[in-house]
Amino acid sequence: MEILWFGYWKAFLSDFYKEGKLLHHCVFSNAYYKREDSLIMSATVDGRRMETVEFSLSRMEVCQCRGKSNQLSAYHDRILNLVRDNIPLIRERMVV
C-alpha cells in the first residue's frame, strides 16, 4: 500500500480535483486545499486510489478517511493504522 501526500503546500488544485472526481467525494468542491491545518493524503493500492485521508496538523490525528462515494474501502483499517504509525514522521517533517 502506498500513501501519496497531497499536503496543501505541494499539491496542485488538479490533484484535489482528480481525487474528488475519481472517488466521487467533496475533497475538491469543499476546498480542502484551503485548510491550512490539514494534511490531505491519498491512499493507493497497486496504483488505484482507495481512500482520501484528512489529517489535522494541530491535533496530530486523522479527521476523516473516506473511499469512493464516502464509503470505507476494504483497506480502511490498514490505511488508518499506516497513518497513525507514521505520526512521528509527520511531526518530524513539519515546518515551524
Side-chain angles (χ1 to χ4, degrees), residues 20-79:
K21 275 294 196 195
L22 291 172
L23 292 180
H24 305 284
H25 59 48
C26 64
V27 70
F28 179 77
S29 61
N30 283 356
Y32 280 71
Y33 50 86
K34 291 182 179 179
R35 296 183 180 189
E36 292 185 9
D37 181 53
S38 291
L39 176 64
I40 307 299
M41 299 172 269
S42 179
T44 65
V45 176
D46 297 327
R48 294 180 304 131
R49 293 172 196 258
M50 290 293 139
E51 293 193 10
T52 306
V53 181
E54 180 185 12
F55 184 84
S56 168
L57 295 171
S58 62
R59 294 188 320 266
M60 285 289 147
E61 66 183 23
V62 174
C63 300
Q64 57 181 330
C65 185
R66 300 282 185 244
K68 193 168 189 173
S69 299
N70 284 321
Q71 301 298 307
L72 306 182
S73 74
Y75 297 92
H76 181 75
D77 291 335
R78 289 176 58 195
I79 292 166

Side-chain angles (χ1 to χ4, degrees), residues 2 4 6 17 36 43 66 80 82 91-92:
E2 176 183 20
L4 302 174
F6 276 173
Y17 178 78
E36 292 185 9
R66 300 282 185 244
L80 286 177
L82 181 62
R91 184 178 282 114
E92 176 184 308

Side-chain angles (χ1 to χ4, degrees), residues 5-17 33 39-40:
W5 306 83
F6 276 173
Y8 65 89
W9 58 89
K10 64 186 243 183
F12 295 103
L13 286 179
S14 60
D15 293 327
F16 288 91
Y17 178 78
Y33 50 86
L39 176 64
I40 307 299

Side-chain angles (χ1 to χ4, degrees), residues 55 60 82-94:
F55 184 84
M60 285 289 147
L82 181 62
V83 173
R84 289 178 183 143
D85 288 348
N86 283 281
I87 289 174
L89 201 60
I90 295 169
R91 184 178 282 114
E92 176 184 308
R93 292 201 166 117
M94 286 180 62

